[in-house]
PDB file of all heavy atoms in Angstrom:
ATOM      1  N   SER A 147      -8.104   5.922  -0.045  1.00  0.00           N
ATOM      2  CA  SER A 147      -9.461   5.399  -0.491  1.00  0.00           C
ATOM      3  C   SER A 147      -9.482   5.007  -1.991  1.00  0.00           C
ATOM      4  O   SER A 147     -10.427   5.377  -2.664  1.00  0.00           O
ATOM      5  CB  SER A 147     -10.490   6.368  -0.190  1.00  0.00           C
ATOM      6  OG  SER A 147     -10.939   6.267   1.086  1.00  0.00           O
ATOM      7  N   LEU A 148      -8.432   4.269  -2.399  1.00  0.00           N
ATOM      8  CA  LEU A 148      -8.394   3.908  -3.814  1.00  0.00           C
ATOM      9  C   LEU A 148      -9.538   2.993  -4.199  1.00  0.00           C
ATOM     10  O   LEU A 148     -10.133   3.109  -5.276  1.00  0.00           O
ATOM     11  CB  LEU A 148      -7.070   3.297  -4.139  1.00  0.00           C
ATOM     12  CG  LEU A 148      -5.914   4.123  -3.977  1.00  0.00           C
ATOM     13  CD1 LEU A 148      -4.646   3.413  -4.287  1.00  0.00           C
ATOM     14  CD2 LEU A 148      -5.945   5.276  -4.950  1.00  0.00           C
ATOM     15  N   PHE A 149      -9.909   2.031  -3.269  1.00  0.00           N
ATOM     16  CA  PHE A 149     -10.954   1.053  -3.626  1.00  0.00           C
ATOM     17  C   PHE A 149     -12.346   1.792  -3.821  1.00  0.00           C
ATOM     18  O   PHE A 149     -13.052   1.557  -4.691  1.00  0.00           O
ATOM     19  CB  PHE A 149     -11.121   0.060  -2.500  1.00  0.00           C
ATOM     20  CG  PHE A 149     -10.027  -1.005  -2.602  1.00  0.00           C
ATOM     21  CD1 PHE A 149      -8.713  -0.769  -2.146  1.00  0.00           C
ATOM     22  CD2 PHE A 149     -10.317  -2.216  -3.065  1.00  0.00           C
ATOM     23  CE1 PHE A 149      -7.742  -1.690  -2.194  1.00  0.00           C
ATOM     24  CE2 PHE A 149      -9.320  -3.204  -3.049  1.00  0.00           C
ATOM     25  CZ  PHE A 149      -7.953  -2.958  -2.721  1.00  0.00           C
ATOM     26  N   ASP A 150     -12.538   2.688  -2.809  1.00  0.00           N
ATOM     27  CA  ASP A 150     -13.824   3.410  -2.839  1.00  0.00           C
ATOM     28  C   ASP A 150     -13.898   4.256  -4.083  1.00  0.00           C
ATOM     29  O   ASP A 150     -14.931   4.296  -4.766  1.00  0.00           O
ATOM     30  CB  ASP A 150     -14.014   4.301  -1.638  1.00  0.00           C
ATOM     31  CG  ASP A 150     -13.875   3.611  -0.289  1.00  0.00           C
ATOM     32  OD1 ASP A 150     -13.236   2.510  -0.290  1.00  0.00           O
ATOM     33  OD2 ASP A 150     -14.454   4.095   0.732  1.00  0.00           O
ATOM     34  N   ALA A 151     -12.929   5.055  -4.291  1.00  0.00           N
ATOM     35  CA  ALA A 151     -12.904   5.941  -5.441  1.00  0.00           C
ATOM     36  C   ALA A 151     -13.051   5.149  -6.742  1.00  0.00           C
ATOM     37  O   ALA A 151     -13.857   5.515  -7.748  1.00  0.00           O
ATOM     38  CB  ALA A 151     -11.685   6.720  -5.518  1.00  0.00           C
ATOM     39  N   SER A 152     -12.339   3.995  -6.832  1.00  0.00           N
ATOM     40  CA  SER A 152     -12.443   3.206  -8.032  1.00  0.00           C
ATOM     41  C   SER A 152     -13.846   2.700  -8.305  1.00  0.00           C
ATOM     42  O   SER A 152     -14.372   2.835  -9.382  1.00  0.00           O
ATOM     43  CB  SER A 152     -11.538   1.948  -7.993  1.00  0.00           C
ATOM     44  OG  SER A 152     -10.196   2.333  -7.709  1.00  0.00           O
ATOM     45  N   SER A 153     -14.491   2.222  -7.251  1.00  0.00           N
ATOM     46  CA  SER A 153     -15.764   1.701  -7.408  1.00  0.00           C
ATOM     47  C   SER A 153     -16.759   2.769  -7.785  1.00  0.00           C
ATOM     48  O   SER A 153     -17.674   2.499  -8.625  1.00  0.00           O
ATOM     49  CB  SER A 153     -16.305   0.948  -6.138  1.00  0.00           C
ATOM     50  OG  SER A 153     -16.615   1.883  -5.243  1.00  0.00           O
ATOM     51  N   ILE A 154     -16.608   3.949  -7.292  1.00  0.00           N
ATOM     52  CA  ILE A 154     -17.453   5.016  -7.624  1.00  0.00           C
ATOM     53  C   ILE A 154     -17.346   5.408  -9.108  1.00  0.00           C
ATOM     54  O   ILE A 154     -18.283   5.582  -9.948  1.00  0.00           O
ATOM     55  CB  ILE A 154     -17.275   6.315  -6.659  1.00  0.00           C
ATOM     56  CG1 ILE A 154     -17.625   5.934  -5.286  1.00  0.00           C
ATOM     57  CG2 ILE A 154     -18.115   7.569  -7.217  1.00  0.00           C
ATOM     58  CD1 ILE A 154     -17.199   6.915  -4.273  1.00  0.00           C
ATOM     59  N   ALA A 155     -16.003   5.433  -9.490  1.00  0.00           N
ATOM     60  CA  ALA A 155     -15.739   5.823 -10.858  1.00  0.00           C
ATOM     61  C   ALA A 155     -16.254   4.792 -11.838  1.00  0.00           C
ATOM     62  O   ALA A 155     -16.829   5.093 -12.880  1.00  0.00           O
ATOM     63  CB  ALA A 155     -14.242   5.976 -11.092  1.00  0.00           C
ATOM     64  N   VAL A 156     -16.149   3.515 -11.428  1.00  0.00           N
ATOM     65  CA  VAL A 156     -16.627   2.405 -12.204  1.00  0.00           C
ATOM     66  C   VAL A 156     -18.169   2.515 -12.482  1.00  0.00           C
ATOM     67  O   VAL A 156     -18.692   2.433 -13.550  1.00  0.00           O
ATOM     68  CB  VAL A 156     -16.276   1.057 -11.648  1.00  0.00           C
ATOM     69  CG1 VAL A 156     -17.031  -0.113 -12.364  1.00  0.00           C
ATOM     70  CG2 VAL A 156     -14.772   0.829 -11.849  1.00  0.00           C
ATOM     71  N   LYS A 157     -18.803   2.795 -11.351  1.00  0.00           N
ATOM     72  CA  LYS A 157     -20.313   2.864 -11.426  1.00  0.00           C
ATOM     73  C   LYS A 157     -20.638   4.043 -12.356  1.00  0.00           C
ATOM     74  O   LYS A 157     -21.527   3.939 -13.171  1.00  0.00           O
ATOM     75  CB  LYS A 157     -20.888   3.015 -10.043  1.00  0.00           C
ATOM     76  CG  LYS A 157     -22.399   3.110 -10.101  1.00  0.00           C
ATOM     77  CD  LYS A 157     -22.960   2.899  -8.718  1.00  0.00           C
ATOM     78  CE  LYS A 157     -24.484   2.999  -8.739  1.00  0.00           C
ATOM     79  NZ  LYS A 157     -25.150   2.627  -7.435  1.00  0.00           N
ATOM     80  N   ALA A 158     -19.974   5.121 -12.182  1.00  0.00           N
ATOM     81  CA  ALA A 158     -20.253   6.355 -13.057  1.00  0.00           C
ATOM     82  C   ALA A 158     -20.057   6.041 -14.495  1.00  0.00           C
ATOM     83  O   ALA A 158     -20.829   6.417 -15.370  1.00  0.00           O
ATOM     84  CB  ALA A 158     -19.497   7.543 -12.526  1.00  0.00           C
ATOM     85  N   ALA A 159     -18.876   5.361 -14.756  1.00  0.00           N
ATOM     86  CA  ALA A 159     -18.576   5.053 -16.165  1.00  0.00           C
ATOM     87  C   ALA A 159     -19.549   4.020 -16.736  1.00  0.00           C
ATOM     88  O   ALA A 159     -19.987   4.185 -17.921  1.00  0.00           O
ATOM     89  CB  ALA A 159     -17.145   4.498 -16.184  1.00  0.00           C
ATOM     90  N   LEU A 160     -19.988   3.082 -15.981  1.00  0.00           N
ATOM     91  CA  LEU A 160     -20.969   2.150 -16.454  1.00  0.00           C
ATOM     92  C   LEU A 160     -22.300   2.825 -16.734  1.00  0.00           C
ATOM     93  O   LEU A 160     -22.970   2.492 -17.723  1.00  0.00           O
ATOM     94  CB  LEU A 160     -21.159   1.010 -15.477  1.00  0.00           C
ATOM     95  CG  LEU A 160     -20.072  -0.020 -15.317  1.00  0.00           C
ATOM     96  CD1 LEU A 160     -20.303  -1.013 -14.241  1.00  0.00           C
ATOM     97  CD2 LEU A 160     -19.832  -0.767 -16.654  1.00  0.00           C
ATOM     98  N   TYR A 161     -22.670   3.684 -15.872  1.00  0.00           N
ATOM     99  CA  TYR A 161     -23.862   4.504 -16.068  1.00  0.00           C
ATOM    100  C   TYR A 161     -23.712   5.322 -17.443  1.00  0.00           C
ATOM    101  O   TYR A 161     -24.737   5.356 -18.167  1.00  0.00           O
ATOM    102  CB  TYR A 161     -24.042   5.518 -14.969  1.00  0.00           C
ATOM    103  CG  TYR A 161     -25.295   6.328 -15.090  1.00  0.00           C
ATOM    104  CD1 TYR A 161     -26.569   5.914 -14.890  1.00  0.00           C
ATOM    105  CD2 TYR A 161     -25.135   7.638 -15.601  1.00  0.00           C
ATOM    106  CE1 TYR A 161     -27.659   6.579 -15.024  1.00  0.00           C
ATOM    107  CE2 TYR A 161     -26.275   8.456 -15.729  1.00  0.00           C
ATOM    108  CZ  TYR A 161     -27.525   7.922 -15.516  1.00  0.00           C
ATOM    109  OH  TYR A 161     -28.610   8.677 -15.732  1.00  0.00           O
ATOM    110  N   ASN A 162     -22.599   5.707 -17.688  1.00  0.00           N
ATOM    111  CA  ASN A 162     -22.368   6.526 -18.918  1.00  0.00           C
ATOM    112  C   ASN A 162     -22.214   5.758 -20.114  1.00  0.00           C
ATOM    113  O   ASN A 162     -22.280   6.230 -21.224  1.00  0.00           O
ATOM    114  CB  ASN A 162     -21.077   7.341 -18.654  1.00  0.00           C
ATOM    115  CG  ASN A 162     -20.751   8.256 -19.800  1.00  0.00           C
ATOM    116  OD1 ASN A 162     -19.734   8.104 -20.412  1.00  0.00           O
ATOM    117  ND2 ASN A 162     -21.653   9.187 -20.120  1.00  0.00           N
ATOM    118  N   THR A 163     -22.195   4.376 -19.943  1.00  0.00           N
ATOM    119  CA  THR A 163     -21.926   3.513 -21.089  1.00  0.00           C
ATOM    120  C   THR A 163     -23.048   3.408 -22.007  1.00  0.00           C
ATOM    121  O   THR A 163     -24.158   3.210 -21.548  1.00  0.00           O
ATOM    122  CB  THR A 163     -21.413   2.161 -20.655  1.00  0.00           C
ATOM    123  OG1 THR A 163     -20.264   2.229 -19.876  1.00  0.00           O
ATOM    124  CG2 THR A 163     -21.242   1.171 -21.806  1.00  0.00           C
ATOM    125  N   SER A 164     -22.837   3.492 -23.286  1.00  0.00           N
ATOM    126  CA  SER A 164     -23.850   3.204 -24.219  1.00  0.00           C
ATOM    127  C   SER A 164     -23.458   2.134 -25.198  1.00  0.00           C
ATOM    128  O   SER A 164     -22.341   2.079 -25.716  1.00  0.00           O
ATOM    129  CB  SER A 164     -24.296   4.458 -25.077  1.00  0.00           C
ATOM    130  OG  SER A 164     -23.082   5.159 -25.456  1.00  0.00           O
TER     131      SER A 164
END
Side-chain angles (χ1 to χ4, degrees):
Chain A
S147 277
L148 294 176
F149 283 77
D150 301 28
S152 306
S153 74
I154 295 167
V156 166
K157 184 165 176 173
L160 286 174
Y161 177 79
N162 181 240
T163 299
S164 43

